[in-house]
Amino acid sequence: MLIPLKRVIHSIRAASRRASVVTALIVLVVAPAAAPAEDRPSYDAAAWLGDLQQFRSAIDRRYPNRDWLTNEREVSLDRWFDSAAATIRAGGNDADARLAMDNLVRRFQDGHLELRWPKPVAGRNSDQVTVTTAKPATVDAFCAARGFQGGQITRGTAASMPGYRAIDDQNPFRPGLIDAGGTAVGIIRIGSFAPQSYPILCEQAATSLKILPSALCEADCEDRLLTKVFVLMTRNLMAAVERLRDLGAQTLLVDLSRNGGGTEWAEAAARIVSPVPLHSAAISVIRDEAWGGRWHTLADKLRQQAKRSSRADRSMLLVLAGQADALAESSMSCPTSTCSRLVPAGFASGLIAELPAGRLDGRTWAPEVFSAAQFPYRDSVWKGPVVVLVDDETWSAAEQFAALLQDNAAAIVMGTRTGGAGCGHLYGDDPIVLSHSTAELSMPNCARFRKDGSNEVGGVVPDVSTAARWNDGPAFAGRLTAKRLPDAIRQANILTARIAR
C-alpha cells in the first residue's frame, strides 16, 4: 500500500529560533565583499515594501495561528511589520531588506513559517562550473541522494541518566533500561518521526525491495521505498517495546527530547505505546473555498468506492462521505462578518478520530479517512504506565505525539514546555511567491487543538517539570531528569490504576 503523501501532515520543523539567530550571525560574518558600484543593481525599497505588504496580507488571510499570536502571545503585528518596513526604507541594499524579512519571520517563532530565497544566479564575473552527477553506486549513497541522512538524531536526555544501560544498539529506537527507586524503567528513544532520519532503514528497505542503487528510481519506486521504511520503523518500534516488556520493565519512558518532528507516523507510534485507545486531536483550517473543493472531491471518491464495497463498508463510506460534504460546506466563504476564520477539518488522523488497529486492513481507501491505517501497527503493545520526556527542542509531530497521549490520560509528560510548532501542512505545502524578490513564503495551513480547546502551537506543558534547559549539558540534563523521574512514575501509576478500574 502506498503512502498517500498528499494527506501527510508535514511537521518537520524548520530551524529553531536559537539556530536561526546563529545562522543569521554567520551570514553576516561571511557575507562577500560588495561588488563594484557599476555591477550592483539599484536598491528598490518600494518593491521590497510591496513584498512586505504581500507577506502581511498572507498572514491576515491564510495564517491559522494569527489569532493565537495576537490574543495569547499578545503580539502587535502592526508594530512588527512597521518595524520591518522602517528597516527596509533605511536600508541601502537588497541584503538589508532580506535580513529585515528574515528577522520578521524569526519573531513569529513558528517552525512551519519560513522564507525560501531564490538561489543566486551566476554573475558575469562568476566562474561557470559544469557539474556531472553520477548515479549512486552503493545503497548508502542511493539513500543519501534521497534525503536519508545520518546524524539527524541525537542521543537524547534519557540515555544520560545515571545508571542507564543500553539493550539493543541495532534497533533505531535504542531501547534501554534504568532503575528508578526500585522501578525498572524501559526507555525508548524516538529522535525523529521523519523516515529520512533513519538511513539504515532506507538501506534495508532498498535491499529488501531489490532496488539497484544505479537504477532509475522514479515516483512509484520512491513510494515503494518510503512505504517500506515506514513499515520498518513501525516493526522496530514494536520490537523495542516488546523487548523491554520481556526484560521486566515496569514503566515505559519515551524520550522525545530534541525531536524536531516528522510525519503523521506519530499517530501510529502513539497508539503502539498507549495502554488505552486514543482519540485524535481536532484540526482546523482557514475558511476558504479551496478547502470546500478538496472535501467535495474526497466525498465523491468515497461514494464511488462505496458502490463496489461490501454492505458494511458501504455504510461506513457513505457516512464518511457525508462528513466530508459537511466539512466542505463549512469551508465555503462566510456569508456574514461574524464567522470564524477557522473551520473544522476533521482530526489529525483524518475523518476518523479513533479506530482499532487493523480494522480497515486491505482497504485501499483506508488512509484517506484514517491516516494511521497506512502503517502496520498494533494497538497497546505496551499496557503499563507511560512517561513521555520532552524539552524546549521538542517540536511539531513530537508535540502531536506527547499531546495525544496527555489529552487521553494515557501518559504523564515530564520535562520542559515544548517548542510550540503545532500543525504543519495538511495536503501539502502551497507557498506564496513574493512578487519582487521571488522568495517563497511557506506557512502552516492548519491548526491542531488540544482537548481543552487550546491551540497546540502554545507548546505542551509537562505534568512534571525537570527545569532542564536546551543548552544544558547531557549529564546535567540527565541528572535533573533522574531526580524527577520517581514523581513522574508515581503519577503514571495512578493513571494506569484508573485504566484498570
Side-chain angles (χ1 to χ4, degrees):
M1 177 175 62
L2 300 182
I3 302 295
L5 294 178
K6 64 180 181 179
R7 170 61 206 168
V8 170
I9 299 177
H10 298 279
S11 44
I12 304 173
R13 74 168 178 90
S16 73
R17 59 185 180 276
R18 289 175 285 273
S20 298
V21 171
V22 171
T23 302
L25 292 175
I26 293 173
V27 169
L28 289 175
V29 171
V30 302
E38 64 271 16
D39 290 342
R40 287 202 308 266
S42 60
Y43 174 56
D44 190 345
W48 278 102
L49 291 173
D51 277 5
L52 183 66
Q53 181 55 48
Q54 193 178 353
F55 185 172
R56 176 61 191 268
S57 297
I59 292 296
D60 288 339
R61 290 184 296 104
R62 294 177 51 174
Y63 187 51
N65 299 320
R66 190 199 69 179
D67 294 342
W68 177 87
L69 191 70
T70 56
N71 296 332
E72 298 298 324
R73 276 184 59 192
E74 302 179 28
V75 161
S76 171
L77 288 173
D78 288 340
R79 283 201 296 269
W80 279 10
F81 278 87
D82 287 347
S83 175
T87 302
I88 289 172
R89 290 191 189 96
N93 52 53
D94 288 346
D96 291 340
R98 175 170 167 168
L99 184 59
M101 299 280 276
D102 283 336
N103 285 336
L104 177 60
V105 169
R106 289 187 194 95
R107 298 186 78 168
F108 281 81
Q109 298 180 11
D110 185 334
H112 295 120
L113 179 70
E114 62 176 328
L115 274 174
R116 296 191 288 263
W117 298 99
K119 294 181 179 179
V121 178
R124 65 187 184 194
N125 296 323
S126 300
D127 294 331
Q128 301 296 322
V129 178
T130 300
V131 178
T132 302
T133 303
K135 292 181 179 179
T138 61
V139 68
D140 57 336
F142 169 84
C143 289
R146 280 151 186 79
F148 289 84
Q149 301 288 343
Q152 299 183 51
I153 297 176
T154 66
R155 186 167 183 260
T157 298
S160 297
M161 290 192 294
Y164 171 82
R165 178 166 58 96
I167 298 301
D168 182 1
D169 285 336
Q170 300 305 308
N171 188 300
F173 301 108
R174 307 288 183 180
L177 284 169
I178 191 172
D179 180 85
T183 298
V185 179
I187 294 172
I188 295 291
R189 168 61 175 161
I190 305 181
S192 172
F193 290 96
Q196 292 80 8
S197 299
Y198 302 95
I200 185 63
L201 297 186
C202 173
E203 294 170 24
Q204 293 174 10
T207 301
S208 173
L209 295 171
K210 299 181 180 179
I211 298 175
L212 297 176
S214 58
L216 186 64
C217 187
E218 297 184 324
D220 180 66
C221 168
E222 297 271 7
D223 283 345
R224 289 189 296 114
L225 180 70
L226 189 58
T227 298
K228 185 64 174 180
V229 173
F230 274 123
V231 168
L232 294 175
M233 289 169 66
T234 305
R235 289 176 178 170
N236 273 279
L237 180 59
M238 292 191 296
V241 172
E242 290 170 335
R243 178 79 184 279
L244 292 172
R245 183 193 63 201
D246 293 344
L247 290 173
Q250 299 163 285
T251 298
L252 181 67
L253 187 152
V254 182
D255 184 359
L256 302 183
S257 61
R258 299 182 182 272
N259 181 320
T263 67
E264 60 185 346
W265 181 71
E267 288 281 328
R271 285 166 167 79
I272 289 171
V273 304
S274 173
V276 298
L278 298 179
H279 188 282
S280 288
I283 293 284
S284 290
V285 297
I286 293 290
R287 185 186 301 276
D288 188 283
E289 290 187 0
W291 283 110
R294 289 187 180 98
W295 291 122
H296 277 316
T297 298
L298 176 58
D300 290 343
K301 288 175 63 176
L302 296 177
R303 288 193 177 92
Q304 289 299 317
Q305 186 65 50
K307 293 178 182 179
R308 49 183 182 272
S309 298
S310 66
R311 179 177 299 179
D313 283 357
R314 186 181 309 123
S315 298
M316 174 184 283
L317 285 162
L318 292 176
V319 169
L320 292 170
Q323 292 178 13
D325 278 333
L327 291 175
E329 293 305 315
S330 69
S331 299
M332 298 302 180
S333 297
C334 176
T336 71
S337 60
T338 59
C339 295
S340 169
R341 294 175 70 248
L342 294 175
V343 295
F347 304 93
S349 53
L351 292 175
I352 300 175
E354 181 178 335
L355 198 69
R359 168 65 178 79
L360 298 180
D361 280 356
R363 279 76 162 183
T364 57
W365 48 267
E368 297 277 3
V369 297
F370 187 63
S371 63
Q374 64 194 299
F375 309 112
Y377 71 97
R378 300 193 308 277
D379 285 322
S380 302
V381 176
W382 179 264
K383 300 182 184 299
V386 180
V387 175
V388 178
L389 178 62
V390 299
D391 62 11
D392 47 358
E393 287 296 312
T394 300
W395 301 84
S396 204
E399 295 174 286
Q400 178 181 353
F401 177 99
L404 180 60
L405 291 168
Q406 189 180 50
D407 284 350
N408 282 274
I412 292 297
V413 176
M414 73 176 300
T416 54
R417 192 175 113 187
T418 62
C423 194
H425 302 99
L426 188 63
Y427 288 98
D429 187 9
D430 185 19
I432 298 164
V433 179
L434 302 184
S435 299
H436 172 64
S437 64
T438 69
E440 290 185 344
L441 173 63
S442 176
M443 65 178 68
N445 64 6
C446 55
R448 196 162 50 232
F449 289 91
R450 305 291 304 276
K451 184 179 181 179
D452 63 4
S454 63
N455 190 330
E456 191 188 292
V457 77
V460 178
V461 178
D463 303 295
V464 177
S465 175
T466 63
R469 296 175 179 171
W470 70 273
N471 56 353
D472 286 335
F476 182 49
R479 290 195 299 272
L480 289 175
T481 302
K483 184 177 180 180
R484 297 307 312 277
L485 183 56
D487 188 30
I489 292 171
R490 179 182 61 80
Q491 294 190 36
N493 285 334
I494 292 173
L495 284 184
T496 304
R498 290 174 183 167
I499 294 169
R501 291 200 299 267

